[in-house]
Amino acid sequence: MKMRIAFTGKGGSGKSTLAALFVGHLRAAGHRVLAVDADVNVHLAPLLGVTAGPEGALSRPENARQVRRHLLGTNPRVAGVEHFVPTTPPGPGSRLVTLDADDPVLVRHATALDARTHVLHVGTYEPDDIGAGCYHGHLAILENLLSHLRLDVDDWVVCDMVAGTDAFANSLHAQFDVIVVVAESTPESVSVARRYRELAAAAGVADLLAVVGNKVVDGVDRDYLARELGGAPLTVLSTQAGLRRARQAGACPRLADLDDVAPLARIAEYARSRPMSPGRREALLRALHLRLAGQDWVRSAHGDVTTQLGPVPA
């Protein structure tokens, strides 16, 4: 399987920690993994032991241009790197990113934990962004990278998304096979999970969602999640004293800090059972590109970007 999985949820739900532990689970199983920190708070990278400075952020303008220049290749459908929009698809002559250790994008912009595991971070707000930008613009380079990604069998992409529902701003909700919504047994956390479900249904990707309960104390918490979500979560992680103590000591989370790794195995098993077909992903991304192409700001800045699309697949 070639799998893409995203972790999201209310801020503080533990989504970044769970994503880091899931990366550890995949590494232990021998998979090639690309971990992407796409949270404005930049938590996943440090949880994996990576220093995520602004100079290495994908969204840094010079880095984004370099990545897009590489992806563009000789694709005649895109007039230049400045005409990449979030939904720009690959075309003839485009270069695709792989999880090979010598891939140019990984060599220049990722941190290697080992030859089979690389970490990218999108970045956060910088002083120059104050009053003049939003995080959606930062995420556009991630959308470009994901749409120009070629995975081999047993490769995984694990993305820690920004908290809340920003994945529906452009095309990120269509880029994954599974979107894990991490929920605590609180009204606020459950309300985010329910909202994500509503938006996913409206976007035609309700089947991609899986809710995972986190920091569950007892049966009352389990019952609360099941009642408020209209069914039991895919799996739950109980409150982990060992993990909490490790984090309090400033240590990166490890599988050894967990009482039970079965919930991580359950998430992986679930993801493998429902990969998105290439045809469905292409159709979703095509529709989203056409919708974006109709926006006035896109027409004003880039002209008619519908020409970036190839023929409709037979």
Side-chain angles (χ1 to χ4, degrees):
M1 294 291 181
K2 309 170 185 180
M3 302 305 305
R4 305 170 178 220
I5 186 168
F7 289 81
T8 190
K10 183 182 178 299
S13 63
K15 67 179 184 61
S16 299
T17 301
L18 183 55
L21 290 166
F22 191 70
V23 169
H25 173 75
L26 296 175
R27 292 180 71 192
H31 296 286
R32 293 202 306 182
V33 183
L34 176 61
V36 183
D37 191 336
D39 192 344
V40 65
N41 294 308
V42 193
H43 285 156
L44 177 61
L47 288 170
L48 294 173
V50 173
T51 300
E55 66 285 344
L58 280 177
S59 62
R60 195 175 182 88
E62 55 266 38
N63 292 340
R65 280 194 297 271
Q66 190 176 62
V67 171
R68 289 181 176 124
R69 190 176 298 115
H70 174 79
L71 300 179
L72 176 62
T74 59
N75 182 3
R77 295 177 184 157
V78 182
V81 294
E82 68 277 10
H83 292 293
F84 266 78
V85 296
T87 55
T88 292
S94 295
R95 297 190 187 100
L96 303 183
V97 176
T98 72
L99 301 199
D100 297 333
D102 61 353
D103 180 88
V105 171
L106 298 189
V107 169
R108 292 172 185 155
H109 304 285
T111 298
L113 301 184
D114 55 54
R116 299 176 65 81
T117 310
H118 292 80
V119 182
L120 291 166
H121 73 283
V122 172
T124 186
Y125 287 116
E126 300 300 331
D128 289 346
D129 297 321
I130 296 174
C134 70
Y135 197 61
H136 294 159
H138 288 62
L139 290 171
I141 185 59
L142 173 59
E143 296 178 81
N144 295 154
L145 187 145
L146 290 174
S147 64
H148 289 71
L149 189 64
R150 186 183 74 235
L151 301 180
D152 289 337
V153 175
D154 290 334
D155 285 352
W156 286 73
V157 175
V158 179
C159 187
D160 180 29
M161 288 299 303
V162 65
T165 55
D166 276 7
F168 292 98
N170 287 315
S171 68
L172 284 171
H173 59 278
Q175 296 279 11
F176 299 100
D177 300 291
V178 172
I179 301 171
V180 173
V181 183
V182 182
E184 298 178 81
S185 301
T186 65
E188 296 79 11
S189 192
V190 166
S191 70
V192 171
R194 286 199 296 251
R195 182 58 177 158
Y196 221 103
R197 184 179 287 167
E198 292 168 2
L199 291 172
V205 294
D207 58 312
L208 306 189
L209 257 61
V211 178
V212 170
N214 196 27
K215 307 178 189 177
V216 171
V217 175
D218 52 24
V220 175
D221 278 358
R222 289 174 180 262
D223 291 344
Y224 177 85
L225 286 172
R227 181 175 67 253
E228 295 299 316
L229 294 170
L234 171 66
T235 187
V236 300
L237 284 85
S238 62
T239 300
Q240 302 285 316
L243 184 60
R244 186 180 295 272
R245 299 297 167 256
R247 296 300 301 126
Q248 290 170 347
C252 296
R254 305 170 304 154
L255 297 181
D257 297 324
L258 296 179
D259 298 333
D260 184 9
V261 299
L264 301 177
R266 176 66 182 120
I267 295 170
E269 175 189 31
Y270 180 81
R272 290 191 193 94
S273 72
R274 51 200 312 110
M276 184 187 290
S277 70
R280 181 186 178 192
R281 175 170 288 121
E282 183 175 351
L284 284 170
L285 293 176
R286 186 182 187 90
L288 290 167
H289 184 76
L290 289 171
R291 176 177 293 183
L292 188 65
Q295 299 296 308
D296 288 341
W297 71 267
V298 173
R299 290 178 176 176
S300 175
H302 305 286
D304 181 12
V305 298
T306 64
T307 58
Q308 295 181 354
L309 293 170
V312 177

